[in-house]
Amino acid sequence: MKQPKFIISGGGTGGHIYPAVAIANELKARFPEAQFLFVGAQDKMEMQKVPQAGYEIKGLWIAGLQRKLTFQNVLFPIKLASSLLKSFFILKSFKPDVVIGTGGFASGAVLKVASLLGIPTLIQEQNSYPGITNKLLAKKANAICVAYENLERFFPKDKMILTGNPVRQDLLLQANKSEANAYFKLDESKKTILILGGSLGARRINQLIEKELDFLLSQNIQIIWQCGKLYLNDYSKYNEKDSVQVVAFIDRMDLVYAAADIIISRSGASSVSELCIVGKPTIFIPSPNVAEDHQTKNAKAIVDKKGAILLKENELNEKFETTFSDIISNENLQIELSQNIKKLAKPNATKDIVEEIVKLV
């Protein structure tokens, strides 16, 4: 059999990029001689992250429509036409066997042209409420790998496969808590609270932790607070407090998850999938500033199965302290949340998605 060629497209956020890289890595393990080409948006983070992962990437001049009238929206038809044309030349030149899209506007252009050229396409949808790009592409796609049940109203039922989302492979190995405590220089006699706002940070979560810091520390805990690179200058001063570590970014997520006893997090699709595998008591604070409020829907899918607690941003002032006190003081609740969220984990997601891709080769 000739070695296959794959084009993978997805980007704009880490939530689209990391699944794309995870899929590429698994395909590479299956087909060591395979050729890979990524396609992204030319001014987005994938242009740095994908080469760092060892893959070639080409950029399209594409961006999403803004919700208000801007000059960017006036340019949208020109950018779209440019991206469709460039996608055509990329596909004709590279001649992939399968084109895989993990979301974002760049993947929309590439998969659209691939389907017109008769090249098999697979969509990997991370969220419980699909983005506009994947909804538009679904009719022509050959297969759609989803992470949540009950998406029939968005996608053709006969094309959907419930696989879950790809997660970092190191999380599947479940790091040792003692090693994690040593790495972060933690006090083993105290519970560790992990605050996650996503790779860029979350302004409202940062404001909450700053406001509630004395309350939290009064519970005899220690905090690892990932505030995001945009906010490090504002919050690094709290490193002077005992039992508080403020960082922009965490490289060893496997160790920080192992160290954590309770996690406070946004509910982007990748984060939710990781947290199901990690299986720690979690308070989700969804971002309300995302398309179709999909983070709330992602969190609700877990909360409805009694696997996590959900606090909306507009409830934080009145409910945060009582909610946190309830969890930290109730070992049975912590165990129940851990067991229930772990039941929703899909540790074989990447392998299952690659199985579907192989069927299309």
Side-chain angles (χ1 to χ4, degrees):
M1 172 185 172
K2 77 176 181 72
Q3 285 302 318
K5 294 180 170 186
F6 301 104
I7 281 182
I8 305 178
S9 183
T13 67
H16 294 314
I17 298 164
Y18 297 126
V21 170
I23 290 166
N25 290 342
E26 181 64 25
L27 281 166
K28 198 173 187 178
R30 300 267 188 111
F31 304 103
E33 303 301 316
Q35 293 181 48
F36 294 88
L37 178 64
F38 277 70
V39 180
Q42 65 184 23
D43 55 349
K44 296 292 187 181
M45 65 192 284
E46 57 264 31
M47 302 309 290
Q48 283 80 47
K49 297 290 183 189
V50 168
Q52 283 168 12
Y55 296 99
E56 182 188 351
I57 186 167
K58 292 189 182 295
L60 304 179
W61 187 43
I62 188 78
L65 281 164
Q66 307 298 308
R67 292 185 188 185
K68 49 186 185 292
L69 190 61
T70 66
F71 181 61
Q72 291 297 324
N73 281 355
V74 176
L75 285 174
F76 180 76
I78 303 163
K79 287 185 174 185
L80 181 60
S82 157
S83 296
L84 291 167
L85 189 62
K86 189 168 181 183
S87 296
F88 175 81
F89 288 117
I90 289 170
L91 289 160
K92 279 295 194 185
S93 165
F94 189 75
K95 298 185 174 63
D97 294 286
V98 184
V99 178
I100 301 133
T102 61
F105 285 94
S107 77
V110 184
L111 268 74
K112 176 68 179 169
V113 176
S115 63
L116 291 172
L117 292 173
I119 301 166
T121 61
L122 178 139
I123 292 169
Q124 195 266 318
E125 172 55 61
Q126 295 106 31
N127 288 296
S128 59
Y129 195 96
I132 187 167
T133 304
N134 284 350
K135 282 192 277 191
L136 291 171
L137 294 169
K139 274 199 181 115
K140 299 288 186 188
N142 296 76
I144 305 163
C145 293
V146 298
Y148 293 89
E149 297 168 341
N150 307 317
L151 296 187
E152 292 82 4
R153 66 191 192 279
F154 306 114
F155 298 140
K157 190 173 182 178
D158 58 328
K159 294 182 180 182
M160 279 196 303
I161 309 99
L162 181 65
T163 57
N165 283 323
V167 298
R168 304 163 218 253
Q169 288 306 105
D170 55 5
L171 297 187
L172 303 178
L173 303 174
Q174 297 285 330
N176 177 287
K177 189 170 173 68
S178 298
E179 180 194 350
N181 285 337
Y183 183 87
F184 290 103
K185 300 181 174 63
L186 296 167
D187 179 345
E188 296 204 1
S189 68
K190 290 183 175 179
K191 294 254 191 211
T192 301
I193 311 304
L194 172 62
I195 318 292
L196 297 174
S199 53
L200 298 176
R203 176 188 285 136
R204 185 66 187 91
I205 291 180
N206 288 334
Q207 290 170 342
L208 171 77
I209 301 307
E210 180 177 49
K211 173 176 169 279
E212 301 289 357
L213 201 53
D214 289 338
F215 159 74
L216 288 167
L217 293 174
S218 73
Q219 312 286 314
N220 190 34
I221 60 159
Q222 54 203 341
I223 295 172
I224 299 176
W225 176 3
Q226 182 258 318
C227 67
K229 63 181 181 182
L230 299 178
Y231 302 101
L232 188 62
N233 288 343
D234 296 332
Y235 298 105
S236 58
K237 61 190 174 190
Y238 294 109
N239 276 317
E240 294 165 14
K241 282 186 178 280
D242 280 345
S243 304
V244 180
Q245 297 182 44
V246 183
V247 294
F249 189 77
I250 299 167
D251 288 321
R252 291 297 306 270
M253 289 304 295
D254 57 330
L255 289 180
V256 86
Y257 281 138
D261 294 290
I262 294 171
I263 299 171
I264 297 171
S265 176
R266 284 295 199 211
S267 48
S270 294
S271 298
V272 172
S273 296
E274 289 187 358
L275 291 167
C276 288
I277 282 169
V278 169
K280 298 290 176 80
T282 299
I283 299 173
F284 284 123
I285 303 175
S287 169
N289 311 311
V290 292
E292 311 288 357
D293 197 21
H294 67 250
Q295 285 205 7
T296 300
K297 297 178 174 85
N298 292 347
K300 262 187 72 49
I302 308 299
V303 172
D304 289 349
K305 305 230 168 119
K306 297 185 167 50
I309 305 291
L310 170 62
L311 281 178
K312 295 190 175 181
E313 283 195 357
N314 60 11
E315 301 173 326
L316 292 174
N317 288 341
E318 55 185 292
K319 288 189 177 177
F320 177 77
E321 289 189 8
T322 50
T323 301
F324 186 83
S325 298
D326 288 347
I327 292 184
I328 198 75
S329 62
N330 188 336
E331 291 282 344
N332 289 335
L333 176 58
Q334 291 172 34
I335 291 165
E336 182 190 353
L337 290 171
S338 287
Q339 289 175 342
N340 289 342
I341 195 170
K342 225 171 169 48
K343 285 176 194 165
L344 304 174
K346 299 222 165 18
N348 299 318
T350 313
K351 286 184 168 63
D352 292 345
I353 292 163
V354 165
E355 286 293 338
E356 297 304 320
I357 295 167
V358 170
K359 291 176 189 174
L360 301 177
V361 173

